[in-house]
Amino acid sequence: MCRQSATVCLVKSPTRQHRVTDGLAERLATLADPRCRRGKRHPFVAVLLIACSAVVSGARSFVAIDEWAADAPQDVLARLGARTATALAVRIPPSGATIRRVIKDTCPGGLADLLGHDPAGADTLAIDGKSARGSRLGAAPAAHLPAAMTGTGMTVTQLRVPE
């Protein structure tokens, strides 16, 4: 979950102009890497691209994402930016724990704003919200995420409400 307040997430979010001009890898590179400097083995963008590719391919859980990454061919891992670990230039995908940690710690407000659609030209804008399943930790309440959508059902942005 995002460790920052909703206001900070929106300030750090990329502008809507980036969405129109850049590809997915360039857009993901504008997000702040939530990991500590020490111990990074896999590029931040590569981890997110591998997770996105697995989800587009039908993965619905972290276990399924991990299995997809482990079974991905070398040329796919190379195109997604996975690191090389041996002298033979064998691509090594991130572990399931690494993928889970990176996705969990990435700011959801910035990610939703980055991947959302431009509301320009939309006739209507609807607001809806949901509580994220599995986000309750101990006595802390579950994360509530209101989202703004166009009349066609395209998400404009999503923001986490602070506790």
Side-chain angles (χ1 to χ4, degrees):
M1 286 209 226
C2 183
R3 295 183 204 164
Q4 304 162 344
S5 71
T7 308
V8 175
C9 291
L10 287 179
V11 169
K12 290 186 175 183
S13 296
T15 63
R16 296 196 187 284
Q17 194 173 15
H18 282 100
R19 283 193 237 158
V20 178
T21 59
D22 295 336
L24 181 60
E26 289 81 16
R27 289 191 239 170
L28 291 174
T30 63
L31 289 173
D33 189 347
R35 301 176 293 173
C36 298
R37 193 179 63 175
R38 183 176 167 206
K40 288 185 195 176
R41 293 190 178 144
H42 300 278
F44 176 65
V45 174
V47 174
L48 292 177
L49 284 174
I50 288 170
C52 288
S53 300
V55 170
V56 168
S57 298
R60 296 183 54 125
S61 67
F62 286 116
V63 173
I65 292 171
D66 182 29
E67 289 173 359
W68 185 91
D71 294 338
Q74 288 292 304
D75 60 329
V76 171
L77 292 174
R79 291 175 76 190
L80 296 175
R83 73 181 178 105
T84 56
T86 64
L88 300 174
V90 174
R91 299 287 176 159
I92 305 295
S95 68
T98 300
I99 294 170
R100 178 176 301 148
R101 208 171 27 252
V102 168
I103 291 174
K104 181 180 73 75
D105 292 341
T106 301
C107 176
L111 189 59
D113 192 40
L114 176 74
L115 301 175
H117 292 275
D118 192 359
D123 294 338
T124 60
L125 196 62
I127 305 295
D128 190 17
K130 63 183 173 210
S131 291
R133 183 176 168 188
S135 63
R136 180 180 298 171
L137 296 173
H144 188 70
L145 305 166
M149 296 169 284
T150 64
T152 59
M154 300 296 211
T155 302
V156 174
T157 189
Q158 186 171 346
L159 181 65
R160 180 172 184 224
V161 177
E163 289 84 7

